[in-house]
Amino acid sequence: LRPRISITEEEMKEYFEENKETFAVEEQVKASHILTETEEAVAEVKEKLDAGEDFAELAKEYSIDEANKNYGGDLGIVKRGEMVPEFEEAAFSMEAGSISEPVKTQFGYHIIKVDDKKEAREADFEQSKEQIEEILFDGKVQAEFNTWYQGKLNEYEIENFLEKK
């Protein structure tokens, strides 16, 4: 059906303007953490990390965060406003690939690992064009399918053997 559907530059620009906020990128980090209850435990973990031990393995062994400890402490993508201030301040000030010093929060003591970092960026039409075209195509394809299907029904003699007589 793709050849039967046309999407103009004007349609894409109009869609972009109406939905601009959905194409902006918020500042975010991909992070993992190890959460301990005590300062002594976090100091032990930090010492082992400094000696070259594996972050994910230490998370499984030491972290008290049951939601992600078995996944190496993986928190996934974190956006501003999703975590407690102390955690967020540390995570967003780090470089990708780095591990923090211990960070105290109301939940205990964290060691944070930032795997990736994306800076905030405003919506950009040129960078969003391909995505917008696909969204508009998906919106038009159903209507075009119905037209195409009705045309095929009229063009061919179709006998349905699945219906009971």
Side-chain angles (χ1 to χ4, degrees):
L1 294 176
R2 193 166 288 276
R4 298 170 57 113
I5 297 173
S6 66
I7 297 167
T8 67
E9 186 87 5
E10 290 75 35
E11 285 177 291
M12 289 192 292
K13 284 181 180 175
E14 184 179 324
Y15 185 88
F16 176 77
E17 290 303 324
E18 290 171 359
N19 300 281
K20 206 176 218 177
E21 68 284 347
T22 63
F23 296 102
V25 175
E26 295 179 54
E27 183 180 18
Q28 53 191 300
V29 293
K30 181 176 183 333
S32 302
H33 79 145
I34 300 171
L35 175 62
T36 66
E37 287 185 78
T38 67
E39 203 169 346
E40 293 77 24
V42 82
E44 187 177 326
V45 171
K46 181 66 174 147
E47 192 175 300
K48 288 183 176 194
L49 285 168
D50 289 345
E53 290 195 35
D54 184 65
F55 189 94
E57 291 304 315
L58 290 171
K60 289 175 188 175
E61 182 181 344
Y62 284 91
S63 188
I64 61 171
D65 188 341
E66 294 297 330
N68 58 42
K69 72 184 266 176
N70 292 326
Y71 303 102
D74 187 8
L75 295 166
I77 302 295
V78 178
K79 297 177 184 171
R80 282 211 183 263
E82 294 180 340
M83 305 300 271
V84 293
E86 303 88 349
F87 185 99
E88 198 170 276
E89 184 179 322
F92 282 93
S93 67
M94 295 170 61
E95 295 295 320
S98 62
I99 296 175
S100 74
E101 293 298 318
V103 176
K104 185 178 185 328
T105 72
Q106 67 198 45
F107 301 106
Y109 296 86
H110 306 259
I111 294 182
I112 305 164
K113 178 182 174 196
V114 172
D115 295 309
D116 194 15
K117 188 174 186 176
K118 290 188 179 168
E119 298 299 328
R121 103 177 133 69
E122 288 188 23
D124 178 87
F125 176 71
E126 289 302 319
Q127 289 181 341
S128 306
K129 245 175 134 166
E130 194 174 300
Q131 185 181 0
I132 293 167
E133 186 172 17
E134 201 59 39
I135 291 167
L136 292 174
F137 175 82
D138 290 346
K140 289 181 174 189
V141 77
Q142 189 61 49
E144 186 58 35
F145 174 79
N146 291 334
T147 303
W148 172 84
Y149 183 67
Q150 285 304 314
K152 293 300 176 191
L153 289 177
N154 295 335
E155 187 179 335
Y156 297 101
E157 186 177 318
I158 298 172
E159 193 175 336
N160 186 345
F161 292 100
L162 297 176
E163 292 180 358
K164 289 183 180 181
K165 300 225 178 200

